Amino acid sequence: MRIMVNIYTGQLVKVLWNGVYSHNFPVINGVKQGSILSPVLFSVYIDELLLALRQPNVGCFMGSWFVGALAYADDIVLMALTATAVRRMLAVCDEFAVKLDVRFNASKSKCMFIRPRKSYKSHKHTRLVMPDLSIGGNNVEFVEKWPHLGHMISLNLSDDDDVSLRRQSLIGQINDVLCRFGR
């Protein structure tokens, strides 16, 4: 335990900028980027938020399993059936942010309104009025598609954009191999 405390309280870092290193300075919060222990420590830290998001019973459930908040590293997805439910979940996030001195970045946050497949086909040309949603006092932008953990999620429930993204990535990797081992 002392080793962990020392690792995280005695951290000094320096920044490399244009070939010049800064002076050492202490890191007073956060987990070490790339450390094997970092995901575990972050999970322990963020678990309180995930439990708090389950409490109001407003997110999505599969039977008795709460699936309204999915987290991977510092990436959190909130899922709910109504704008009111999403607002309540965002309020829980705001309360957590104040309590544990965390900032949620609204400019990096996105919102998608995904209708059932049948509804999308029958209302394809209907323009929806999106509700105002905010985190940390800043509005969250609505998007039609967004990359999440390496996959393109699209509100029309089509995999075409994701397949195209994967295809482009594969072509790039093949070209990289050919450039390195062309002969």
Side-chain angles (χ1 to χ4, degrees):
M1 185 61 110
R2 284 187 192 150
I3 291 171
M4 280 182 46
V5 169
N6 188 45
I7 287 172
Y8 282 93
T9 59
Q11 283 189 83
L12 292 176
V13 297
K14 54 184 161 185
V15 176
L16 174 63
W17 182 264
N18 287 334
V20 178
Y21 283 98
S22 70
H23 294 288
N24 290 338
F25 58 93
V27 176
I28 56 174
N29 64 359
V31 293
K32 288 181 144 195
Q33 194 74 20
S35 167
I36 292 172
L37 193 55
S38 294
V40 174
L41 293 175
F42 187 79
S43 294
V44 169
Y45 184 76
I46 207 71
D47 191 52
E48 185 176 338
L49 172 62
L50 298 176
L51 292 172
L53 285 165
R54 186 184 199 287
Q55 289 306 310
N57 287 327
V58 294
C60 289
F61 284 82
M62 290 178 71
S64 62
W65 288 83
F66 176 66
V67 294
L70 306 176
Y72 180 79
D74 64 346
D75 196 59
I76 301 170
V77 175
L78 301 180
M79 294 185 291
L81 297 176
T82 66
T84 302
V86 172
R87 279 192 196 96
R88 178 64 191 119
M89 294 174 82
L90 290 170
V92 169
C93 291
D94 281 337
E95 292 165 13
F96 177 82
V98 169
K99 182 178 176 184
L100 292 178
D101 194 25
V102 175
R103 286 190 199 106
F104 292 100
N105 189 340
S107 67
K108 290 184 177 180
S109 302
K110 304 298 177 208
C111 186
M112 294 180 79
F113 175 70
I114 301 176
R115 296 179 278 177
R117 222 179 262 278
K118 292 177 200 173
S119 171
Y120 180 78
K121 289 177 181 174
S122 62
H123 297 97
K124 195 182 287 192
H125 302 290
T126 306
R127 190 76 179 159
L128 294 171
V129 177
M130 296 301 166
D132 288 331
L133 299 174
S134 65
I135 185 86
N138 298 303
N139 284 343
V140 177
E141 175 188 10
F142 278 84
V143 294
E144 293 188 10
K145 58 185 173 183
W146 187 253
H148 176 67
L149 300 177
H151 295 280
M152 188 63 72
I153 298 173
S154 175
L155 65 81
N156 66 4
L157 303 175
S158 168
D159 291 333
D160 294 348
D161 291 325
D162 190 47
V163 170
S164 177
L165 188 68
R166 297 290 101 222
R167 181 178 176 268
Q168 291 169 9
S169 175
L170 176 63
I171 290 169
Q173 291 171 356
I174 290 170
N175 283 333
D176 188 44
V177 170
L178 291 175
C179 286
R180 291 178 192 263
F181 304 104
R183 295 181 183 203

